[in-house]
Amino acid sequence: MGGGVDDLLSNLAFNDGASDDVEIKLLYQKLLQGLNQNEQRLLNGLYIEGKTISQIANDLNVSRKTLYQWRLKLQQKIKPIWGNTSVR
């Protein structure tokens, strides 16, 4: 997957510089509200914890294929939310 939502979400990684950014924290909370538990786990694993799909699949005891399907649904849900924010 190249660009798009993945590039935008990579900005959510809470490192030293971003952890104090209130706008990013608010955006993240807004994103979580529209996601089911599995999508939240995937989002946290990929973009907050920096895990790979394989690591998350192992942690959640699901196939990588399942996680790729969850990620597609996640991206579809995030696009409208991300488009309505000023954080980019």
Side-chain angles (χ1 to χ4, degrees):
M1 198 173 331
V5 175
D6 273 348
D7 286 344
L8 297 174
L9 288 174
S10 67
N11 293 327
L12 289 177
F14 296 155
N15 56 34
D16 291 338
S19 63
D20 295 325
D21 190 333
V22 174
E23 286 185 78
I24 289 181
K25 286 182 179 181
L26 290 173
L27 173 61
Y28 184 70
Q29 290 303 316
K30 184 176 181 178
L31 291 174
L32 287 180
Q33 290 173 5
L35 304 178
N36 66 40
Q37 187 176 26
N38 290 330
E39 293 163 339
Q40 289 177 11
R41 289 177 180 167
L42 178 59
L43 183 71
N44 281 323
L46 288 173
Y47 301 106
I48 305 304
E49 299 171 11
K51 293 183 177 181
T52 66
I53 288 284
S54 294
Q55 290 170 322
I56 298 168
N58 188 46
D59 291 348
L60 300 179
N61 199 28
V62 297
S63 71
R64 290 177 44 212
K65 181 179 179 178
T66 296
L67 288 185
Y68 284 116
Q69 292 169 343
W70 291 357
R71 188 171 73 172
L72 286 174
K73 289 179 185 176
L74 176 65
Q75 288 178 321
Q76 291 170 350
K77 288 182 177 182
I78 287 174
K79 283 181 185 180
I81 296 169
W82 194 273
N84 292 327
T85 66
S86 60
V87 180
R88 301 206 193 260

